[in-house]
Amino acid sequence: MINWLIAALAGAVTGVLSGFGVGGGSLLLIYMTSFAGVAQNQAQGINLLYFLPAAAAALPAHFKNGYVEKKALLPAIAAGLACSSLAAWAATALDVDILRKCFGVFLLLIGLRELFKKG
């Protein structure tokens, strides 16, 4: 019962962050790999499925309030699709331990950037 409650809480917190558009999926990956015992590659697959309904729920509010830059939309989508396809292929080819370390370095770099960012 407590595991279900913790998972629901993690989903709620990451859902709020996803609604803000600030990467709740990254925190979901941390929860799944560090606390729920899910392998990195499986957590990434779960995160991809989690993202679809979370984005679908948040996107109408962002459109309604004018937070979507329509001129950048198509180039960003095209580049994102191409790069996500290549990255997914690379991620499935990498050893899980290497994948986990790459994700950790990415999080560390983003955290340091935010910590020391001016203004």
Side-chain angles (χ1 to χ4, degrees):
M1 176 68 177
I2 192 74
N3 289 340
W4 182 88
L5 186 59
I6 292 170
L9 181 61
V13 170
T14 58
V16 168
L17 293 173
S18 293
F20 289 156
V22 294
S26 295
L27 290 178
L28 184 63
L29 280 170
I30 293 169
Y31 162 73
M32 287 189 290
T33 57
S34 298
F35 302 105
V38 177
Q40 181 77 28
N41 56 352
Q42 290 178 325
Q44 287 177 202
I46 292 167
N47 183 54
L48 290 172
L49 289 173
Y50 163 86
F51 177 75
L52 294 174
L59 197 55
H62 287 274
F63 263 113
K64 179 184 172 199
N65 291 305
Y67 297 146
V68 176
E69 179 62 45
K70 293 180 178 105
K71 289 179 184 176
L73 196 59
L74 288 178
I77 290 172
L81 287 173
C83 290
S84 66
S85 296
L86 289 171
W89 173 78
T92 57
L94 287 174
D95 180 58
V96 176
D97 289 332
I98 293 171
L99 194 59
R100 187 178 178 117
K101 289 176 184 174
C102 289
F103 182 66
V105 168
F106 169 74
L107 289 177
L108 182 63
L109 292 174
I110 296 298
L112 289 171
R113 179 180 168 263
E114 289 300 313
L115 186 63
F116 294 110
K117 184 173 150 183
K118 296 185 182 191

